[in-house]
Amino acid sequence: MKSLAELAKIRDEAKNKIDLRGKKNTRIVVGMATCGIAAGARPVLLALVEEIKKRNLNDVEVVQTGCIGVCVLEPIVEVYNETGEKVTYIEMTPEKARKVIADHIVNGKVVSEYTIGAKKA
Ligand code: FES
């Protein structure tokens, strides 16, 4: 049985971890369902992670998700900014992923030709 003080310490440590995670300004979500992987999402994810590491972008996190819902447009990468606004990139490749990091994440310029909006047009 843990004492109250020990429990409080565990709670505070967990809270600090959450706060640290909360400090990430940009969140990049990669669809890694079967169709995403089949379409090449793994090398895309790897390219994103490598590029972020290379550029020391400490406030950017990359996470995996399952089905995003549009198999035919995979690999899909969603970029959420600090206010929760989302840009959806489709039919991604490692090269496109590196450009998204350079243009969108670093320079704040959405690569509109890779977005889902460009496909519909
Ligand atoms: S199974 Fe392909 S997007 Fe969901």
Side-chain angles (χ1 to χ4, degrees), residues 11-106:
R11 181 202 60 207
D12 290 344
E13 282 168 1
K15 196 168 166 282
N16 283 341
K17 277 190 198 143
I18 292 166
D19 286 349
L20 278 181
R21 261 188 269 145
K23 285 203 181 100
K24 304 281 184 190
N25 286 334
T26 304
R27 185 178 157 87
I28 303 179
V29 180
V30 183
M32 294 284 282
T34 320
C35 62
I37 291 170
R42 262 204 197 105
V44 168
L45 177 79
L46 201 68
L48 289 167
V49 170
E50 280 173 357
E51 201 62 24
I52 285 165
K53 212 165 140 197
K54 202 172 84 186
R55 293 168 178 268
N56 279 325
L57 303 173
N58 297 322
D59 62 344
V60 180
E61 71 173 342
V62 180
V63 297
Q64 305 180 26
T65 188
C67 171
I68 293 181
V70 233
C71 300
V72 75
L73 302 179
E74 295 276 358
I76 296 177
V77 171
E78 297 173 328
V79 177
Y80 292 85
N81 69 9
E82 63 283 359
T83 61
E85 276 171 47
K86 177 178 77 171
V87 173
T88 302
Y89 290 107
I90 58 166
E91 298 171 341
M92 291 297 281
T93 64
E95 293 69 36
K96 288 177 169 180
R98 282 188 278 269
K99 186 168 167 61
V100 165
I101 297 296
D103 290 11
H104 183 158
I105 307 298
V106 175

